[in-house]
């Protein structure tokens, strides 16, 4: 990635975002948490979470039941989508399935087909907001803090992060429930820093040493190739010197020191080049740029533990109608993920960096009269990398078609006896790889994903 392009992505590296605090949130009881520094140090885990907002259909990774679905569907699958080709593991070839098969064959990914919430089924809950909140806080208690907020508190309590830790948590999606705060105050350095991608007709916000805003087209933005900060370097030096001379020891002097070091740090990452990935080079898209940037940050900054991003640039996943665009979006998503794994391997980081891809829920499988799918309760979870602590199993779980006799209630559910789990087990897995030995205390007794662990 070009240096200038990286700076365009950088909105607030090192500057904390003030996310909303839920004052009614349940306190995190750190006394209940059993923590293993050994697990944390052995794993050296870093994570990219890609959240599929809107509830992506699971069919790209599971068309095992398609022959049963087709004659019962309100609209004709073949007439609408055209060719639907099954891969070896019954992934949808045209919707990213070829890339999924490559990742599975290389031992780089586990595809879980039975992330299913019996709790939601019993409560008839398939609402976007509530399901997103639950999956991003890791609990059915709506008053809890976010998963990443809890991890931040736990790592700080065990002296594994401190005010000298550089950008421990980053977001490339803006605000999300992953960072919701509870009643325990969160240290400012643990609040997520933010990176975002600016479009050429947007206002440009520079959160380095230059806080100017631009409304011109990208072509008119000043060139930062010689001075990445946009100001005269001598002026910066003078201001830093004055800050040290004229302020007492404390936060102001420290802030000037830190902003200079962060500017140098960001410039170093911006200047880092992605290895030549050959046939696995990143596709050209805004989303791919974000994933490439996330990996560059993790590779060059072991202090960063978790980065979250949505799929802006690909489109949303709430496909109630005209779902045809789902196919190229899934193709783009998994083409990028295949490149991401090649990137991790080229950097020698496939053992500690993992990528988790999931959303709030899946879709029903009736292709409705508007050529779309309505909300469902079963989704796929895709886990890539982290090969030092994850033992990838390829495909885990089998599904059966549930026909209720109502055309809009045609859906997949786990086959009896197959491995299935509530979405809160994703949170339990994250807690586990970051050293929590009893994550069930945080996830309504839902355990980590046992097939994953070595």
């Amino acid at each position: 990635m070009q240096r200038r392009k990286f700076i365009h992505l950088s909105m607030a590296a090192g500057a904390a975002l003030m996310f909303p605090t839920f004052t009614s949130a349940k306190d995190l009881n750190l006394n209940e948490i059993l923590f293993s520094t050994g697990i944390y140090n052995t794993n050296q885990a870093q994570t990219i979470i890609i959240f599929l907002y809107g509830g992506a259909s699971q069919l790209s990774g599971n068309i095992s039941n398609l022959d049963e679905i087709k004659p019962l569907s309100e609209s004709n699958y073949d007439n609408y989508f055209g060719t639907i080709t099954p891969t070896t593991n019954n992934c949808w070839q045209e919707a990213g399935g070829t890339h999924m098969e490559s990742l599975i064959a290389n031992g780089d990914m586990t595809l879980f087909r039975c992330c299913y919430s019996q709790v939601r089924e019993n409560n008839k809950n398939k609402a976007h907001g509530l399901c997103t909140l639950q999956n991003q806080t890791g609990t059915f208690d709506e008053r809890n803090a976010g998963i990443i907020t809890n991890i931040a508190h736990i790592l700080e309590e065990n002296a594994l992060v401190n005010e000298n830790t550089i950008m421990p948590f980053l977001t490339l999606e803006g605000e999300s429930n992953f960072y919701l705060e509870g009643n325990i105050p969160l240290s400012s350095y643990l609040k997520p820093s933010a990176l975002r991608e600016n479009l050429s007709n947007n206002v440009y916000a520079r959160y380095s040493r230059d806080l100017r805003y631009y409304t011109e087209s990208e072509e008119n933005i000043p060139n930062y190739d010689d001075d990445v900060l946009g100001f005269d370097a001598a002026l910066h030096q003078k201001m830093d010197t004055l800050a040290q001379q004229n302020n007492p020891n404390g936060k102001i002097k420290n802030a000037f020191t830190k902003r200079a070091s962060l500017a140098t740090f960001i410039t170093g990452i911006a200047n880092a080049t992605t290895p030549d990935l050959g046939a696995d080079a990143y596709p050209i898209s805004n989303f791919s740029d974000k994933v490439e940037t996330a990996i560059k940050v993790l590779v060059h900054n072991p202090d960063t533990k978790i980065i979250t991003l949505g799929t802006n640039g690909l489109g949303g996943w709430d496909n109630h109608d005209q779902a045809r665009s789902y196919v190229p979006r899934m193709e783009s998503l998994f083409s990028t993920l295949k490149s991401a794994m090649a990137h991790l391997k080229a950097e020698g980081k496939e053992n500690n960096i993992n990528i988790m891809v999931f959303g709030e829920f899946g879709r029903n499988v009736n292709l409705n009269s508007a050529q779309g799918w309505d909300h469902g309760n079963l989704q796929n979870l895709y886990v890539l990398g982290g090969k030092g602590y994850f033992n990838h199993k390829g495909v885990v779980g089998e599904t059966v078609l549930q026909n209720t006799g109502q055309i809009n209630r045609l859906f997949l559910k786990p086959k009896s006896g197959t491995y299935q789990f509530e979405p809160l087990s994703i949170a339990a897995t994250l807690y586990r790889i970051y050293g929590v030995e009893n994550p069930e205390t945080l996830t309504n007794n839902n355990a980590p994903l046992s097939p994953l662990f070595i």
Side-chain angles (χ1 to χ4, degrees), residues 25-26 136-137 139 143-147 149-150 177 180-182 431:
K26 180 180 177 182
Q136 294 185 348
T137 59
T139 177
R143 300 174 298 119
N144 247 26
I147 297 169
T149 297
N150 286 339
N177 298 309
L180 286 179
E181 294 184 39
Y431 290 134

Side-chain angles (χ1 to χ4, degrees), residues 90-110:
N90 282 311
C91 299
W92 187 344
Q93 179 176 301
E94 292 80 9
T98 300
H99 306 302
M100 294 182 198
E101 291 289 356
S102 176
L103 290 164
I104 291 169
N106 291 332
D108 294 331
M109 183 177 80
T110 300

Side-chain angles (χ1 to χ4, degrees), residues 166-183:
I166 301 174
M167 299 187 299
F169 306 105
L170 289 175
T171 171
L172 277 80
E173 59 171 331
E175 299 180 9
S176 85
N177 298 309
F178 285 117
Y179 306 101
L180 286 179
E181 294 184 39
N183 288 332

Side-chain angles (χ1 to χ4, degrees), residues 331-351:
E331 173 68 17
S332 295
L333 171 62
F334 276 91
S335 175
T336 297
L337 290 174
K338 184 182 177 187
S339 298
M341 276 308 307
H343 190 172
L344 291 178
K345 290 180 178 180
E347 299 282 9
K349 292 292 186 178
E350 71 273 22
N351 286 339

Side-chain angles (χ1 to χ4, degrees), residues 377-445:
N377 189 22
L378 179 141
Q379 67 167 310
N380 296 333
L381 165 68
Y382 306 91
V383 182
L384 298 84
K387 296 170 80 168
Y389 41 88
F390 288 153
N391 183 17
H392 288 297
K393 300 291 188 179
V395 177
V396 177
E398 295 182 64
T399 55
V400 294
L401 181 65
Q402 182 73 37
N403 181 9
T404 66
Q406 296 176 282
I407 199 163
N408 64 342
R409 291 289 294 135
L410 187 68
F411 59 93
L412 297 178
K413 63 183 299 183
K415 182 179 180 180
S416 177
T418 198
Y419 183 79
Q420 67 181 85
F421 55 94
E422 290 275 348
L424 307 191
S425 286
I426 301 172
T429 301
L430 285 165
Y431 290 134
R432 177 65 177 174
I433 63 175
Y434 286 96
V436 179
E437 295 189 83
N438 58 339
E440 297 87 349
T441 62
L442 298 169
T443 58
N444 300 120
N445 295 317

